[in-house]
Amino acid sequence: MKPLVKLSFAFALVAAVVGARADEVQVAVAANFTAPMKEIAAAFEKETGHKVQAAYGATGKFYAQIANGAPFEALLAADDATPTKLVAQGLAVKGTQFTYAIGTLVLWSTKPGFVDDQGKVLAKGTFEKLAIANPKTAPYGAAAMQVLTGLKLLDQVSPKFVTGENIAQAFQFVSTGNAQLGFVALSQVMKDGKIADGSAWIVPGKLHKSIRQDAVVLTKGKDNPAVAALMAYLKGKQAQAIIQAYGYQI
Amino acid sequence: MPLSDSDLQSIWLTLRLATVVTTILLFLGTPVAWWLARTRSRWKGPIGAVVALPLVLPPSVLGFYLLVAMGPHGPVGQLTQALGLGLLPFTFWGLVVASVFYSLPFMVQPVQNAFEAIGDRPLEVAATLRASPLDAFFSVALPLAAPGFLTAGILTFAHTVGEFGVVLMIGGNIPGVTRVASVQIYDHVEAMEYSDAHRLAAILLIFSFLVLLALYLWRPNPKNT
């Protein structure tokens, strides 16, 4: 038993030391922003020497985790409602919220030519499964629902829904070919300024509420200078160039 | 407070899945267990290890491989499409296939132990009484291994009820088709509907406890398994 106690003590010590390093940022990032965030984090680390520890997932899940004491210091959400709510509840720092990107929804298939540039394939119904992100927790899922409701297609296509836990899983359902179609984020299918493969309909922004993606400093990251540095970096030219290359607006 | 319709639907679906999987595994797992218990082949080790894999593999590994294998470009997906069955992910039968893999060791291992505990002697005696191997299997081995079957059946059923990760990865969360109770709870938690989550979670907790309690009370002597 004794060596075990010693060992766990050593681990606790290591954890405490690592945790206390001020130049590390624990940031929760919306799943749709995974690819650009990896690029931004690499550039940020290179330039500042700070280290970014990013977790990627559904914004709604991060909210629940933060409300229950998760150790995140900043949140890059997929919407603006969640950061606003966190500020109102005292879980995020007032005055630090800003829009880092405006997301674009696409209807995407891996099959070339399957999706037309008007999205008429939705009404035709020549598909078996339509992947969306969980509209209750993922803003891109909610936007997809608004689009379908607006086009009066919701009742027609909802029996074909397969729901991903977040936008990354919706993408995975389509990319493995198990769903023929799916509503995903443009950032997931865009590479070097164009759709990397398959076919896609870039959903006009007027068909859904704009997906304003806000970042906010969380209460736990209030005194960490690396958090402030990351937020500043996100507003800078280099980060914005990366963000735009993935099809976001700023 | 009563359960919502969608909660009830998820419980019913879960029970249906567990029943189908347990039934299939009774027929599929028994010959495997019999072979593993009786064979002296050098394949016993490797096959036994493959059967036990789901005990140690993360559900994400199994879920990922199944999603790719059952997809339109995977070997299983091409087979099911060629047979006119369509694709398995996001269907009830897709979950059944996945759960059969996932719960395999829970069926095979207790039954194998029960068969091994019988030893050679009763079967030899049966042979001297001119029982054919098949006859000896059905009238000697099966009755003697009955407690092992009960344990295996209960464990398989309970383990399928408790399945989550694999279902999340290949299910697509479709109400009444693939949204089982564990996924429904996850959905409630994600959406911060904590009181809904509590109700369903408590039911599963009590169910699991009762199943295990029954198993331990009914099995006074561990040698019987």
Side-chain angles (χ1 to χ4, degrees), chain A residues 58 60-61 63-65 67-68 85 110 128-129 134 136-137 159 161-165 169 172-173 175-180, chain B residues 66-68 70-73 86-91 168-174 179 186-194:
Chain A
K61 172 158 63 189
Y63 171 79
Q65 291 178 347
N68 287 296
K85 206 154 61 171
T110 53
E128 276 171 52
K129 300 285 177 210
N134 187 342
K136 277 206 262 182
T137 53
F161 277 168
V162 288
T163 311
E165 229 234 281
Q169 205 187 14
Q172 171 201 323
F173 287 161
S175 70
T176 56
N178 285 299
Q180 294 77 26
Chain B
L66 284 170
L67 188 68
V68 174
M70 303 197 306
H73 312 298
L87 291 172
L88 284 174
F90 319 129
T91 65
L168 191 73
M169 288 191 71
I170 65 160
N173 205 348
I174 304 167
R179 188 183 287 167
Y186 184 70
D187 258 20
H188 282 320
V189 176
E190 293 271 273
M192 282 167 289
E193 299 156 353
Y194 289 165

Short mmCIF file of all heavy atoms in Angstrom, two decimals, chain A residues 58 60-61 63-65 67-68 85 110 128-129 134 136-137 159 161-165 169 172-173 175-180, chain B residues 66-68 70-73 86-91 168-174 179 186-194:
data_model
loop_
_atom_site.label_atom_id
_atom_site.label_comp_id
_atom_site.label_asym_id
_atom_site.label_seq_id
_atom_site.Cartn_x
_atom_site.Cartn_y
_atom_site.Cartn_z
N ALA A 58 -19.25 19.82 -28.58
CA ALA A 58 -20.48 20.59 -28.75
C ALA A 58 -20.53 21.71 -27.72
O ALA A 58 -20.19 21.53 -26.55
CB ALA A 58 -21.69 19.68 -28.61
N GLY A 60 -23.04 23.16 -26.33
CA GLY A 60 -23.99 22.89 -25.24
C GLY A 60 -23.36 22.01 -24.16
O GLY A 60 -23.59 22.21 -22.97
N LYS A 61 -22.56 21.06 -24.60
CA LYS A 61 -21.90 20.18 -23.64
C LYS A 61 -20.88 20.96 -22.82
O LYS A 61 -20.78 20.80 -21.62
CB LYS A 61 -21.22 19.04 -24.38
CG LYS A 61 -20.36 18.19 -23.46
CD LYS A 61 -20.11 16.80 -23.98
CE LYS A 61 -19.34 16.81 -25.27
NZ LYS A 61 -19.30 15.48 -25.85
N TYR A 63 -21.01 24.04 -22.13
CA TYR A 63 -21.72 24.88 -21.16
C TYR A 63 -22.01 24.08 -19.90
O TYR A 63 -21.76 24.55 -18.78
CB TYR A 63 -23.03 25.41 -21.77
CG TYR A 63 -23.88 26.10 -20.74
CD1 TYR A 63 -23.59 27.39 -20.33
CD2 TYR A 63 -24.93 25.42 -20.12
CE1 TYR A 63 -24.31 28.01 -19.34
CE2 TYR A 63 -25.67 26.03 -19.14
CZ TYR A 63 -25.36 27.32 -18.75
OH TYR A 63 -26.09 27.92 -17.75
N ALA A 64 -22.56 22.86 -20.07
CA ALA A 64 -22.88 22.03 -18.91
C ALA A 64 -21.64 21.73 -18.09
O ALA A 64 -21.66 21.73 -16.86
CB ALA A 64 -23.55 20.74 -19.36
N GLN A 65 -20.53 21.48 -18.78
CA GLN A 65 -19.30 21.15 -18.07
C GLN A 65 -18.76 22.37 -17.31
O GLN A 65 -18.31 22.25 -16.17
CB GLN A 65 -18.24 20.63 -19.05
CG GLN A 65 -18.63 19.26 -19.61
CD GLN A 65 -17.63 18.74 -20.63
OE1 GLN A 65 -16.78 19.47 -21.11
NE2 GLN A 65 -17.75 17.46 -20.95
N ALA A 67 -20.51 24.93 -16.26
CA ALA A 67 -21.43 25.19 -15.14
C ALA A 67 -21.16 24.24 -13.98
O ALA A 67 -21.47 24.54 -12.83
CB ALA A 67 -22.88 25.06 -15.60
N ASN A 68 -20.58 23.09 -14.28
CA ASN A 68 -20.29 22.11 -13.23
C ASN A 68 -18.80 22.07 -12.86
O ASN A 68 -18.30 21.07 -12.38
CB ASN A 68 -20.78 20.73 -13.65
CG ASN A 68 -22.30 20.64 -13.57
OD1 ASN A 68 -22.87 20.75 -12.50
ND2 ASN A 68 -22.94 20.48 -14.72
N LYS A 85 -24.85 33.83 -21.84
CA LYS A 85 -25.42 33.17 -20.67
C LYS A 85 -24.36 32.98 -19.59
O LYS A 85 -24.62 33.19 -18.40
CB LYS A 85 -26.00 31.81 -21.10
CG LYS A 85 -27.11 31.31 -20.24
CD LYS A 85 -28.06 30.36 -20.97
CE LYS A 85 -27.38 29.11 -21.47
NZ LYS A 85 -28.29 28.08 -21.98
N THR A 110 -20.52 13.42 -50.16
CA THR A 110 -19.21 13.02 -50.71
C THR A 110 -19.31 12.72 -52.20
O THR A 110 -18.31 12.64 -52.89
CB THR A 110 -18.66 11.76 -50.00
OG1 THR A 110 -19.65 10.75 -50.05
CG2 THR A 110 -18.30 12.04 -48.56
N GLU A 128 -31.33 8.55 -48.46
CA GLU A 128 -31.94 7.77 -47.39
C GLU A 128 -31.73 8.38 -46.02
O GLU A 128 -32.59 8.28 -45.15
CB GLU A 128 -31.39 6.34 -47.40
CG GLU A 128 -32.12 5.45 -48.38
CD GLU A 128 -31.43 4.13 -48.53
OE1 GLU A 128 -31.16 3.49 -47.50
OE2 GLU A 128 -31.13 3.75 -49.68
N LYS A 129 -30.55 8.98 -45.81
CA LYS A 129 -30.25 9.55 -44.50
C LYS A 129 -29.71 10.96 -44.66
O LYS A 129 -28.92 11.24 -45.55
CB LYS A 129 -29.21 8.70 -43.77
CG LYS A 129 -29.63 7.27 -43.51
CD LYS A 129 -30.65 7.17 -42.39
CE LYS A 129 -31.11 5.73 -42.21
NZ LYS A 129 -32.48 5.66 -41.70
N ASN A 134 -27.04 17.63 -33.40
CA ASN A 134 -28.14 17.73 -32.44
C ASN A 134 -28.60 19.19 -32.26
O ASN A 134 -27.86 20.01 -31.73
CB ASN A 134 -27.68 17.16 -31.09
CG ASN A 134 -28.82 17.06 -30.09
OD1 ASN A 134 -29.86 17.69 -30.26
ND2 ASN A 134 -28.63 16.26 -29.07
N LYS A 136 -30.55 20.57 -30.32
CA LYS A 136 -30.69 21.03 -28.94
C LYS A 136 -29.38 21.56 -28.38
O LYS A 136 -29.38 22.41 -27.50
CB LYS A 136 -31.18 19.89 -28.05
CG LYS A 136 -32.68 19.69 -28.10
CD LYS A 136 -33.19 19.04 -26.81
CE LYS A 136 -33.38 17.55 -27.00
NZ LYS A 136 -33.90 16.87 -25.81
N THR A 137 -28.26 21.03 -28.85
CA THR A 137 -26.98 21.41 -28.25
C THR A 137 -26.00 22.05 -29.23
O THR A 137 -25.06 22.71 -28.81
CB THR A 137 -26.28 20.18 -27.63
OG1 THR A 137 -26.20 19.15 -28.62
CG2 THR A 137 -27.07 19.66 -26.44
N PRO A 159 -38.02 12.26 -41.04
CA PRO A 159 -37.86 10.81 -40.84
C PRO A 159 -36.50 10.28 -41.28
O PRO A 159 -36.12 9.17 -40.93
CB PRO A 159 -38.97 10.19 -41.69
CG PRO A 159 -39.96 11.28 -41.90
CD PRO A 159 -39.16 12.55 -41.92
N PHE A 161 -33.62 11.86 -40.68
CA PHE A 161 -32.56 12.42 -39.85
C PHE A 161 -31.71 11.35 -39.19
O PHE A 161 -32.23 10.38 -38.63
CB PHE A 161 -33.17 13.24 -38.70
CG PHE A 161 -33.55 14.64 -39.08
CD1 PHE A 161 -34.33 15.41 -38.22
CD2 PHE A 161 -33.11 15.20 -40.26
CE1 PHE A 161 -34.69 16.70 -38.54
CE2 PHE A 161 -33.45 16.51 -40.59
CZ PHE A 161 -34.25 17.25 -39.73
N VAL A 162 -30.40 11.53 -39.23
CA VAL A 162 -29.55 10.87 -38.25
C VAL A 162 -28.81 12.00 -37.54
O VAL A 162 -28.28 12.91 -38.16
CB VAL A 162 -28.57 9.88 -38.87
CG1 VAL A 162 -29.31 8.64 -39.34
CG2 VAL A 162 -27.80 10.47 -40.03
N THR A 163 -28.83 11.95 -36.21
CA THR A 163 -28.36 13.08 -35.43
C THR A 163 -27.00 12.80 -34.83
O THR A 163 -26.84 11.85 -34.07
CB THR A 163 -29.37 13.39 -34.32
OG1 THR A 163 -30.66 13.46 -34.89
CG2 THR A 163 -29.04 14.72 -33.66
N GLY A 164 -26.05 13.63 -35.16
CA GLY A 164 -24.72 13.54 -34.54
C GLY A 164 -24.74 14.29 -33.24
O GLY A 164 -25.46 15.26 -33.07
N GLU A 165 -23.92 13.84 -32.32
CA GLU A 165 -23.81 14.47 -31.01
C GLU A 165 -23.32 15.90 -31.17
O GLU A 165 -23.66 16.78 -30.43
CB GLU A 165 -22.73 13.73 -30.35
CG GLU A 165 -22.53 13.12 -29.13
CD GLU A 165 -21.32 13.64 -28.47
OE1 GLU A 165 -20.21 13.23 -28.82
OE2 GLU A 165 -21.51 14.46 -27.59
N GLN A 169 -19.52 14.82 -35.52
CA GLN A 169 -20.10 13.50 -35.77
C GLN A 169 -21.02 13.52 -36.98
O GLN A 169 -21.08 12.56 -37.75
CB GLN A 169 -20.84 12.98 -34.54
CG GLN A 169 -20.89 11.47 -34.55
CD GLN A 169 -21.74 10.86 -33.46
OE1 GLN A 169 -22.52 11.53 -32.80
NE2 GLN A 169 -21.60 9.56 -33.27
N GLN A 172 -18.81 13.13 -39.78
CA GLN A 172 -18.30 11.76 -39.83
C GLN A 172 -19.34 10.82 -40.47
O GLN A 172 -18.98 9.94 -41.25
CB GLN A 172 -17.97 11.37 -38.39
CG GLN A 172 -17.63 9.94 -38.12
CD GLN A 172 -17.85 9.64 -36.64
OE1 GLN A 172 -17.59 10.47 -35.77
NE2 GLN A 172 -18.34 8.47 -36.34
N PHE A 173 -20.61 11.02 -40.17
CA PHE A 173 -21.66 10.19 -40.77
C PHE A 173 -21.67 10.34 -42.29
O PHE A 173 -21.86 9.38 -43.03
CB PHE A 173 -23.04 10.57 -40.22
CG PHE A 173 -23.28 10.13 -38.80
CD1 PHE A 173 -24.29 10.72 -38.05
CD2 PHE A 173 -22.53 9.11 -38.22
CE1 PHE A 173 -24.53 10.30 -36.74
CE2 PHE A 173 -22.76 8.70 -36.91
CZ PHE A 173 -23.76 9.30 -36.17
N SER A 175 -19.06 11.62 -44.19
CA SER A 175 -17.77 11.31 -44.82
C SER A 175 -17.53 9.81 -44.92
O SER A 175 -16.82 9.35 -45.80
CB SER A 175 -16.62 11.99 -44.08
OG SER A 175 -16.43 11.39 -42.82
N THR A 176 -18.13 9.01 -44.01
CA THR A 176 -17.99 7.56 -44.12
C THR A 176 -19.01 6.99 -45.11
O THR A 176 -19.05 5.79 -45.34
CB THR A 176 -18.18 6.86 -42.76
OG1 THR A 176 -19.46 7.24 -42.23
CG2 THR A 176 -17.09 7.21 -41.78
N GLY A 177 -19.86 7.87 -45.67
CA GLY A 177 -20.84 7.42 -46.67
C GLY A 177 -22.09 6.80 -46.08
O GLY A 177 -22.97 6.36 -46.81
N ASN A 178 -22.18 6.75 -44.75
CA ASN A 178 -23.35 6.12 -44.15
C ASN A 178 -24.59 7.00 -44.26
O ASN A 178 -25.71 6.50 -44.29
CB ASN A 178 -23.08 5.77 -42.69
CG ASN A 178 -22.19 4.55 -42.57
OD1 ASN A 178 -22.56 3.48 -43.02
ND2 ASN A 178 -21.01 4.71 -42.01
N ALA A 179 -24.39 8.31 -44.31
CA ALA A 179 -25.48 9.22 -44.67
C ALA A 179 -25.09 9.85 -46.00
O ALA A 179 -23.94 10.23 -46.20
CB ALA A 179 -25.66 10.29 -43.61
N GLN A 180 -26.06 9.92 -46.94
CA GLN A 180 -25.73 10.45 -48.27
C GLN A 180 -25.56 11.97 -48.24
O GLN A 180 -24.89 12.54 -49.09
CB GLN A 180 -26.83 10.08 -49.27
CG GLN A 180 -26.95 8.59 -49.57
CD GLN A 180 -27.66 7.83 -48.45
OE1 GLN A 180 -28.46 8.40 -47.71
NE2 GLN A 180 -27.34 6.57 -48.29
N LEU B 66 -16.81 -0.60 -36.83
CA LEU B 66 -18.12 -1.02 -37.32
C LEU B 66 -18.69 0.00 -38.30
O LEU B 66 -19.26 -0.35 -39.33
CB LEU B 66 -19.08 -1.25 -36.16
CG LEU B 66 -18.86 -2.55 -35.38
CD1 LEU B 66 -19.70 -2.56 -34.10
CD2 LEU B 66 -19.22 -3.76 -36.23
N LEU B 67 -18.53 1.28 -37.95
CA LEU B 67 -19.06 2.34 -38.82
C LEU B 67 -18.41 2.29 -40.19
O LEU B 67 -19.08 2.41 -41.22
CB LEU B 67 -18.80 3.71 -38.17
CG LEU B 67 -19.45 4.90 -38.86
CD1 LEU B 67 -20.96 4.85 -38.71
CD2 LEU B 67 -18.93 6.21 -38.31
N VAL B 68 -17.10 2.08 -40.21
CA VAL B 68 -16.39 2.02 -41.48
C VAL B 68 -16.71 0.70 -42.21
O VAL B 68 -16.98 0.70 -43.41
CB VAL B 68 -14.87 2.17 -41.25
CG1 VAL B 68 -14.11 1.97 -42.56
CG2 VAL B 68 -14.57 3.55 -40.67
N MET B 70 -19.33 -1.28 -41.93
CA MET B 70 -20.72 -1.42 -42.35
C MET B 70 -21.14 -0.30 -43.31
O MET B 70 -22.25 -0.31 -43.83
CB MET B 70 -21.66 -1.43 -41.12
CG MET B 70 -21.32 -2.53 -40.13
SD MET B 70 -22.60 -2.95 -38.91
CE MET B 70 -22.97 -1.40 -38.16
N GLY B 71 -20.25 0.66 -43.53
CA GLY B 71 -20.54 1.75 -44.46
C GLY B 71 -20.52 1.26 -45.91
O GLY B 71 -20.16 0.12 -46.17
N PRO B 72 -20.90 2.12 -46.85
CA PRO B 72 -21.04 1.67 -48.25
C PRO B 72 -19.72 1.21 -48.88
O PRO B 72 -19.73 0.47 -49.84
CB PRO B 72 -21.58 2.90 -48.96
CG PRO B 72 -21.30 4.05 -48.06
CD PRO B 72 -21.27 3.51 -46.67
N HIS B 73 -18.58 1.62 -48.31
CA HIS B 73 -17.31 1.21 -48.89
C HIS B 73 -16.67 0.08 -48.11
O HIS B 73 -15.64 -0.46 -48.50
CB HIS B 73 -16.34 2.40 -48.96
CG HIS B 73 -16.99 3.62 -49.54
ND1 HIS B 73 -17.47 3.64 -50.84
CD2 HIS B 73 -17.28 4.83 -49.00
CE1 HIS B 73 -18.02 4.84 -51.05
NE2 HIS B 73 -17.92 5.56 -49.97
N GLY B 86 -29.52 -3.20 -47.71
CA GLY B 86 -29.18 -1.80 -47.45
C GLY B 86 -28.02 -1.71 -46.48
O GLY B 86 -27.27 -2.67 -46.29
N LEU B 87 -27.87 -0.55 -45.87
CA LEU B 87 -26.76 -0.34 -44.95
C LEU B 87 -27.21 -0.51 -43.51
O LEU B 87 -28.34 -0.19 -43.17
CB LEU B 87 -26.19 1.06 -45.15
CG LEU B 87 -25.46 1.28 -46.48
CD1 LEU B 87 -25.12 2.75 -46.66
CD2 LEU B 87 -24.20 0.44 -46.56
N LEU B 88 -26.33 -1.02 -42.66
CA LEU B 88 -26.70 -1.31 -41.28
C LEU B 88 -26.61 -0.14 -40.29
O LEU B 88 -27.38 -0.10 -39.35
CB LEU B 88 -25.85 -2.48 -40.76
CG LEU B 88 -26.28 -3.85 -41.29
CD1 LEU B 88 -25.28 -4.92 -40.83
CD2 LEU B 88 -27.67 -4.21 -40.81
N PRO B 89 -25.65 0.80 -40.46
CA PRO B 89 -25.62 1.88 -39.47
C PRO B 89 -26.95 2.64 -39.43
O PRO B 89 -27.65 2.72 -40.45
CB PRO B 89 -24.50 2.79 -39.97
CG PRO B 89 -23.62 1.90 -40.75
CD PRO B 89 -24.53 0.90 -41.40
N PHE B 90 -27.29 3.14 -38.29
CA PHE B 90 -28.53 3.89 -38.07
C PHE B 90 -29.77 3.01 -38.14
O PHE B 90 -30.87 3.51 -38.31
CB PHE B 90 -28.71 5.05 -39.06
CG PHE B 90 -27.46 5.82 -39.34
CD1 PHE B 90 -27.04 6.07 -40.62
CD2 PHE B 90 -26.69 6.29 -38.28
CE1 PHE B 90 -25.88 6.77 -40.87
CE2 PHE B 90 -25.53 6.99 -38.53
CZ PHE B 90 -25.13 7.23 -39.82
N THR B 91 -29.61 1.68 -38.05
CA THR B 91 -30.77 0.81 -38.04
C THR B 91 -30.75 -0.03 -36.77
O THR B 91 -29.71 -0.20 -36.13
CB THR B 91 -30.80 -0.16 -39.24
OG1 THR B 91 -29.68 -1.05 -39.13
CG2 THR B 91 -30.72 0.58 -40.56
N LEU B 168 -23.74 5.10 -29.62
CA LEU B 168 -23.60 6.52 -29.92
C LEU B 168 -22.88 6.71 -31.26
O LEU B 168 -23.22 7.60 -32.04
CB LEU B 168 -22.80 7.20 -28.81
CG LEU B 168 -22.79 8.72 -28.85
CD1 LEU B 168 -24.14 9.26 -28.43
CD2 LEU B 168 -21.70 9.28 -27.96
N MET B 169 -21.92 5.84 -31.54
CA MET B 169 -21.13 6.02 -32.74
C MET B 169 -21.80 5.53 -34.02
O MET B 169 -21.55 6.06 -35.08
CB MET B 169 -19.76 5.36 -32.58
CG MET B 169 -18.90 6.15 -31.60
SD MET B 169 -17.19 5.64 -31.58
CE MET B 169 -16.60 6.24 -33.15
N ILE B 170 -22.64 4.49 -33.92
CA ILE B 170 -23.23 3.98 -35.16
C ILE B 170 -24.75 4.13 -35.18
O ILE B 170 -25.39 3.72 -36.13
CB ILE B 170 -22.88 2.49 -35.41
CG1 ILE B 170 -23.48 1.61 -34.33
CG2 ILE B 170 -21.38 2.28 -35.47
CD1 ILE B 170 -23.59 0.17 -34.76
N GLY B 171 -25.33 4.71 -34.13
CA GLY B 171 -26.79 4.73 -34.01
C GLY B 171 -27.45 5.89 -34.74
O GLY B 171 -28.50 5.73 -35.34
N GLY B 172 -26.85 7.07 -34.68
CA GLY B 172 -27.49 8.23 -35.29
C GLY B 172 -28.67 8.76 -34.48
O GLY B 172 -29.39 9.64 -34.95
N ASN B 173 -28.88 8.22 -33.29
CA ASN B 173 -29.83 8.84 -32.35
C ASN B 173 -31.24 9.00 -32.92
O ASN B 173 -31.86 10.06 -32.81
CB ASN B 173 -29.27 10.20 -31.94
CG ASN B 173 -29.79 10.66 -30.59
OD1 ASN B 173 -30.74 10.07 -30.06
ND2 ASN B 173 -29.21 11.70 -30.06
N ILE B 174 -31.77 7.95 -33.53
CA ILE B 174 -33.10 8.04 -34.14
C ILE B 174 -34.14 7.51 -33.15
O ILE B 174 -34.04 6.38 -32.70
CB ILE B 174 -33.17 7.22 -35.44
CG1 ILE B 174 -32.08 7.69 -36.42
CG2 ILE B 174 -34.54 7.33 -36.09
CD1 ILE B 174 -31.88 6.76 -37.58
N ARG B 179 -32.35 5.14 -30.56
CA ARG B 179 -32.16 5.94 -29.35
C ARG B 179 -32.50 5.10 -28.12
O ARG B 179 -33.62 5.13 -27.62
CB ARG B 179 -33.02 7.21 -29.39
CG ARG B 179 -32.68 8.16 -28.23
CD ARG B 179 -33.56 9.37 -28.24
NE ARG B 179 -33.22 10.29 -29.31
CZ ARG B 179 -33.99 11.30 -29.68
NH1 ARG B 179 -35.13 11.52 -29.06
NH2 ARG B 179 -33.61 12.08 -30.67
N TYR B 186 -28.04 10.53 -22.00
CA TYR B 186 -26.96 11.42 -22.45
C TYR B 186 -27.54 12.68 -23.09
O TYR B 186 -27.11 13.79 -22.82
CB TYR B 186 -26.09 10.65 -23.45
CG TYR B 186 -24.89 11.40 -23.95
CD1 TYR B 186 -23.82 11.65 -23.10
CD2 TYR B 186 -24.81 11.84 -25.26
CE1 TYR B 186 -22.70 12.32 -23.56
CE2 TYR B 186 -23.70 12.52 -25.72
CZ TYR B 186 -22.65 12.75 -24.86
OH TYR B 186 -21.54 13.42 -25.32
N ASP B 187 -28.57 12.49 -23.92
CA ASP B 187 -29.25 13.62 -24.57
C ASP B 187 -29.85 14.58 -23.54
O ASP B 187 -29.74 15.79 -23.67
CB ASP B 187 -30.37 13.11 -25.46
CG ASP B 187 -29.97 13.12 -26.92
OD1 ASP B 187 -28.76 13.16 -27.19
OD2 ASP B 187 -30.87 13.12 -27.78
N HIS B 188 -30.50 14.00 -22.54
CA HIS B 188 -31.09 14.83 -21.47
C HIS B 188 -30.00 15.64 -20.77
O HIS B 188 -30.16 16.84 -20.52
CB HIS B 188 -31.81 13.95 -20.44
CG HIS B 188 -33.16 13.48 -20.88
ND1 HIS B 188 -34.04 14.27 -21.57
CD2 HIS B 188 -33.78 12.29 -20.72
CE1 HIS B 188 -35.15 13.59 -21.82
NE2 HIS B 188 -35.01 12.38 -21.32
N VAL B 189 -28.89 14.98 -20.46
CA VAL B 189 -27.81 15.67 -19.74
C VAL B 189 -27.23 16.79 -20.62
O VAL B 189 -27.02 17.91 -20.16
CB VAL B 189 -26.70 14.68 -19.33
CG1 VAL B 189 -25.53 15.41 -18.69
CG2 VAL B 189 -27.24 13.63 -18.37
N GLU B 190 -27.00 16.46 -21.90
CA GLU B 190 -26.46 17.45 -22.83
C GLU B 190 -27.34 18.68 -22.92
O GLU B 190 -26.87 19.80 -23.02
CB GLU B 190 -26.36 16.84 -24.24
CG GLU B 190 -25.37 15.75 -24.34
CD GLU B 190 -24.01 16.29 -24.70
OE1 GLU B 190 -23.73 16.44 -25.87
OE2 GLU B 190 -23.24 16.58 -23.77
N ALA B 191 -28.65 18.44 -22.92
CA ALA B 191 -29.59 19.55 -23.06
C ALA B 191 -29.93 20.18 -21.71
O ALA B 191 -30.82 21.02 -21.62
CB ALA B 191 -30.86 19.06 -23.76
N MET B 192 -29.20 19.73 -20.69
CA MET B 192 -29.39 20.23 -19.33
C MET B 192 -30.79 19.97 -18.77
O MET B 192 -31.28 20.73 -17.95
CB MET B 192 -29.02 21.70 -19.24
CG MET B 192 -27.51 21.87 -19.19
SD MET B 192 -27.02 23.55 -19.44
CE MET B 192 -27.38 23.78 -21.15
N GLU B 193 -31.42 18.92 -19.26
CA GLU B 193 -32.70 18.51 -18.68
C GLU B 193 -32.40 17.52 -17.56
O GLU B 193 -32.66 16.32 -17.68
CB GLU B 193 -33.58 17.87 -19.77
CG GLU B 193 -33.90 18.80 -20.91
CD GLU B 193 -34.24 18.08 -22.22
OE1 GLU B 193 -34.10 16.86 -22.26
OE2 GLU B 193 -34.62 18.76 -23.19
N TYR B 194 -31.83 18.04 -16.49
CA TYR B 194 -31.29 17.15 -15.46
C TYR B 194 -32.36 16.32 -14.77
O TYR B 194 -32.12 15.18 -14.39
CB TYR B 194 -30.48 17.94 -14.43
CG TYR B 194 -29.17 18.47 -14.97
CD1 TYR B 194 -28.46 19.46 -14.31
CD2 TYR B 194 -28.63 17.96 -16.16
CE1 TYR B 194 -27.26 19.93 -14.82
CE2 TYR B 194 -27.44 18.43 -16.67
CZ TYR B 194 -26.76 19.42 -15.99
OH TYR B 194 -25.57 19.89 -16.50
#
